[in-house]
Amino acid sequence: MIEVKNVRQSYGDHEVLRGINLVLPEHKVSALIGANGAGKSTLLNVITRLLPLREGAVLLDGRDMGDMKSRDIAKTIAVLKQSHHISIRISVEDLVAFGRYPHSRGRLTTTDKAKIGEVIAYMRLEDIRDRYLDELSGGQRQRAYIAMVLAQDTKYIFLDEPLNNMDIHFSVEIMHILSKLVGELGKTVVIVVHDINFAAAYADHVIAMKDGAISAEGPVDRIITKTILDGIFGFDFNIAEVAGRKVCLYFRDETTRK
Ligand SMILES: Nc1ncnc2c1ncn2[C@@H]1O[C@H](COP(=O)(O)OP(=O)(O)OP(=O)(O)O)[C@@H](O)[C@H]1O
Ligand SMILES: [Mg+2]
């Protein structure tokens, strides 16, 4: 279980996380939503130790993550950053193999190789496994990075805007894969997502952030409501239900076209 206790983070005078307390629900897909600058990436980066923690604590099964070795954390928590740039020329397969590093430390065993093959198939990357990352489309590259994260085979998976650059087909496919990882393999997944309809359709739990704080948190039905979304985004939301799922439409509250 991951618990976030009174985490605060500032850049100069700007307080970006203002006392976050959170218990991440186990074996669920949680969606972290909120406007640009709300603090989503900062929170994700602090939890996963991509950013050093300034104040508060993050506990993993009751243990302060600050006291844990990076390698042990990397075997438990995988993270896809919002922006990832690798300057070396590397193939899809080598990138995915890189995800095995916490297990293999660079010497791939048969188990590692099997896992890499499995993830490449899972993410439908077989046809482009030998291609270099700089020869791929944005969406193909994003799929390769997600495959790298899945190859790490951790209990917790954090993805910051994984649907970036993805077409509708692959966005749905990714959300389906994440649901399967939870349902079939018992993983716990946290994703930052801007498309509220994807959160509404595929997440189990929603954490809504505004101005460095959590303004609402709970199951989809309780959070994807007009009152909460209007408050978070400052828009006039219309929420309909289609095939048992909530669908959000958003408008500015003044008419811009005559
Ligand atoms: N390295 C940094 N130095 C100074 N300020 C930063 C830095 N990183 C983030 N911030 C500020 O912290 C606040 C929260 O940023 P964060 O990236 O966590 O937002 P976000 O919710 O992920 O937004 P987005 O949806 O745009 O990705 C923003 O006001 C941002 O300008
Ligand atoms: Mg962000």
Side-chain angles (χ1 to χ4, degrees):
M1 185 168 72
I2 294 182
E3 287 172 88
V4 178
K5 296 211 157 177
N6 206 24
V7 162
R8 290 177 182 277
Q9 204 80 2
S10 314
Y11 292 106
D13 293 344
H14 182 196
E15 200 170 31
V16 174
L17 297 179
R18 297 185 289 123
I20 303 283
N21 287 290
L22 184 65
V23 176
L24 291 176
E26 297 270 292
H27 314 305
K28 288 198 179 351
V29 175
S30 293
L32 198 49
I33 63 168
N36 290 141
K40 304 178 299 296
S41 295
T42 307
L43 177 59
L44 200 122
N45 292 347
V46 163
I47 294 175
T48 57
R49 287 235 309 215
L50 289 174
L51 264 180
L53 183 63
R54 299 262 173 81
E55 203 182 316
V58 180
L59 307 183
L60 176 62
D61 295 331
R63 269 182 76 189
D64 194 326
M65 276 176 57
D67 299 334
M68 294 175 65
K69 285 190 194 140
S70 301
R71 187 172 180 221
D72 291 335
I73 293 176
K75 283 184 183 167
T76 316
I77 294 177
V79 55
L80 178 74
K81 293 197 283 182
Q82 182 169 357
S83 48
H84 30 72
H85 303 287
I86 285 192
S87 47
I88 47 169
R89 200 146 192 262
I90 183 175
S91 71
V92 169
E93 185 158 353
D94 287 344
L95 180 76
V96 177
F98 194 61
R100 294 302 299 166
Y101 193 83
H103 304 274
S104 69
R105 287 182 151 175
R107 294 169 63 94
L108 296 174
T109 63
T110 337
T111 316
D112 294 319
K113 286 178 187 158
K115 190 78 209 169
I116 293 162
E118 193 185 300
V119 169
I120 284 177
Y122 213 66
M123 294 301 291
R124 311 252 165 99
L125 292 166
E126 292 109 321
D127 292 347
I128 53 171
R129 66 194 299 159
D130 297 323
R131 296 256 294 270
Y132 289 104
L133 291 187
D134 59 3
E135 297 167 350
L136 303 179
S137 76
Q140 289 170 330
R141 202 174 304 131
Q142 183 72 349
R143 268 158 55 209
Y145 276 102
I146 295 175
M148 175 186 74
V149 167
L150 299 188
Q152 211 173 319
D153 196 19
T154 54
K155 185 170 167 195
Y156 299 95
I157 299 168
F158 290 79
L159 305 163
D160 197 344
E161 302 196 25
L163 306 184
N164 264 354
N165 296 316
M166 294 270 185
D167 67 24
I168 295 171
H169 174 85
F170 272 109
S171 297
V172 171
E173 184 91 5
I174 294 296
M175 295 308 291
H176 183 67
I177 286 171
L178 297 178
S179 301
K180 278 209 313 191
L181 290 172
V182 169
E184 293 173 5
L185 302 177
K187 311 271 186 195
T188 295
V189 176
V190 179
I191 62 165
V192 176
V193 60
H194 277 294
D195 188 331
I196 298 169
N197 288 319
F198 270 92
Y202 296 102
D204 306 300
H205 189 87
V206 179
I207 301 160
M209 288 189 74
K210 186 176 183 183
D211 300 333
I214 292 172
S215 54
E217 190 211 339
V220 169
D221 273 352
R222 203 147 55 70
I223 306 304
I224 305 295
T225 63
K226 177 168 171 56
T227 315
I228 290 179
L229 295 184
D230 282 6
I232 292 166
F233 293 104
F235 270 90
D236 182 13
F237 273 82
N238 251 305
I239 300 176
E241 210 165 295
V242 177
R245 287 184 163 132
K246 294 200 171 182
V247 176
C248 311
L249 297 166
Y250 21 92
F251 307 104
R252 280 177 73 126
D253 49 8
E254 78 269 26
T255 307
T256 49
R257 268 199 265 165
K258 302 267 183 234

